[in-house]
Amino acid sequence: MARLKGRGVAAVNYPTGMNLGGDPSQALIHATTTGSFVITLSSVDLGQGIKTVGAQIAAETLGVPYESVMIDTADTDTGPHCMGTFASRGTHRIGNAIMMAAKEAREVMMCVAATELEVDAGDLVTDGKGRIHVNGAPDKGIAVLDVALAAHFKHGKTISGRGMYLKPKSEVVPETGEMDPDSCQAHACTIAEVEVDDETGDVTVLKMTNAYEIGRAMNPALAHQQIVGGAWMGISHALYETTEPYYPNRAHGPLDFSEYLMPGPGDIAEMDSVIIERPSSNGPYGAKGIGEMTANSPIPAIANAIFDACGVRVTSMPITPEKILRGLDALRGNPN
């Protein structure tokens, strides 16, 4: 018996968004009488962090503290239209819509502040801490709260904005096949280190080293968490998950989640990940999508590492001990 170690590498590029007749998302924003801002979306937060990142984008655009922004995901009956949470489009599409809505709301906010201060709106800046003041004269200013109150009760104005991001559908050029199906592309590379037991066929993923180019990381902590979560999914797809282990034969498939194999907390590998920032020209503050591709590059990297360790090339998922042992038998001239 031997425990064979191997290393494998895989790289991917991943599109942000889809080419579905425009792939639009909308956002609405309004200020309350307490000086906070509510952003209404129909976009679903699946745990990827769109509520956090959306609030960050709005706060940066409005020039107000992050804590003063609330995200209301509403529902598809009452909220503004969104194509959906898929295609790694959330930060790019929804973030752009939020930024557009926030710019419109900021314009109203600054106009009301200018009226209150009796200055030109173009001379005003926000400090990001809840105040608006004359550029170069921080003492001549007004709190965002007071601007919101004045807008509501004195000027009869709604500090609000609407945003809709739309990438026009790209039709195929018949002569060349040319088209533009996405908005931008993110990139990733994973190096997997594994250990293969040549007696049992068991595979242990020892370490993953990842590099992700995602435009600009709106929230680096969330991005790193997505990399770890995606790597877990990649390990799960590569080595565990299946509903049809002998497809097209339906035998021995799991009947419920108690029989559906997935890695546990102890099976996650050591992680070393870096984020490379090369801002997108059309993303909100340069952002691209990261979500789905974090589960992609780990899978072929693990498969390549297994091949490097024991010489067995498995071309179907999951890479089970049975497949590895059959491959080892074939290499030894003992097929069965």
Side-chain angles (χ1 to χ4, degrees):
M1 182 189 84
R3 294 185 180 274
L4 309 171
K5 292 187 177 181
R7 179 180 292 171
V9 62
V12 301
N13 67 305
Y14 202 87
T16 296
M18 299 281 281
N19 191 39
L20 298 176
D23 194 18
S25 281
Q26 292 177 305
L28 303 176
I29 184 170
H30 73 274
T32 71
T33 52
T34 62
S36 61
F37 291 82
V38 178
I39 299 171
T40 306
L41 307 170
S42 289
S43 313
V44 177
D45 194 324
L46 303 173
Q48 80 277 25
I50 189 60
K51 286 186 176 181
T52 300
V53 171
Q56 286 182 262
I57 292 170
E60 181 70 20
T61 307
L62 289 163
V64 300
Y66 166 81
E67 294 76 16
S68 67
V69 179
M70 297 180 288
I71 301 288
D72 177 13
T73 52
D75 60 52
T76 53
D77 284 334
T78 60
H81 177 259
C82 180
M83 285 294 288
T85 301
F86 59 88
S88 298
R89 67 190 293 283
T91 297
H92 187 279
R93 295 288 196 272
I94 301 158
N96 268 319
I98 290 173
M99 190 161 65
M100 294 165 68
K103 285 179 179 178
E104 189 172 284
R106 177 186 169 89
E107 185 176 342
V108 180
M109 179 178 72
M110 300 302 267
C111 285
V112 173
T115 301
E116 288 296 293
L117 294 172
E118 298 182 343
V119 297
D120 189 276
D123 295 331
L124 295 176
V125 295
T126 52
D127 67 358
K129 300 177 181 179
R131 280 186 60 81
I132 301 169
H133 63 82
V134 174
N135 191 18
D139 292 336
K140 186 173 179 58
I142 184 172
V144 172
L145 168 60
D146 292 329
V147 174
L149 289 170
H152 280 83
F153 297 109
K154 184 177 179 181
H155 302 288
K157 287 189 175 182
T158 300
I159 299 177
S160 62
R162 302 159 297 169
M164 179 171 181
Y165 183 79
L166 173 68
K167 179 188 180 298
K169 183 179 180 181
S170 175
E171 301 289 352
V172 178
V173 179
E175 294 77 16
T176 64
E178 178 186 0
M179 66 181 305
D180 180 23
D182 53 52
S183 294
C184 53
Q185 296 203 358
H187 305 84
C189 182
T190 295
I191 299 172
E193 298 176 38
V194 306
E195 184 178 79
V196 179
D197 187 321
D198 69 351
E199 183 176 34
T200 65
D202 186 57
V203 176
T204 302
V205 182
L206 303 173
K207 183 178 180 180
M208 284 188 171
T209 305
N210 308 288
Y212 280 85
E213 184 279 299
I214 59 170
R216 177 165 290 165
M218 296 288 96
N219 189 307
L222 281 179
H224 276 287
Q225 289 170 357
Q226 285 198 330
I227 292 170
V228 173
W232 180 91
M233 293 176 67
I235 293 172
S236 193
H237 285 309
L239 301 178
Y240 295 86
E241 292 188 55
T242 180
T243 56
E244 309 283 347
Y246 296 101
Y247 183 83
N249 187 332
R250 308 285 312 264
H252 304 292
L255 300 178
D256 53 43
F257 281 111
S258 67
E259 299 178 352
Y260 187 78
L261 292 180
M262 292 183 288
D267 299 307
I268 191 68
E270 177 187 349
M271 289 285 172
D272 185 7
S273 303
V274 297
I275 292 174
I276 301 169
E277 294 187 301
R278 293 190 175 180
S280 163
S281 62
N282 55 25
Y285 297 106
K288 301 178 183 179
I290 181 178
E292 291 165 294
M293 74 170 178
T294 55
N296 289 3
S297 56
I299 298 171
I302 292 170
N304 289 337
I306 292 170
F307 177 75
D308 183 55
C310 65
V312 174
R313 173 63 74 187
V314 181
T315 58
S316 63
M317 295 189 295
I319 304 173
T320 60
E322 178 183 353
K323 292 177 183 178
I324 291 174
L325 292 177
R326 288 185 184 278
L328 289 172
D329 282 343
L331 290 175
R332 295 165 182 154
N334 300 313
N336 53 35

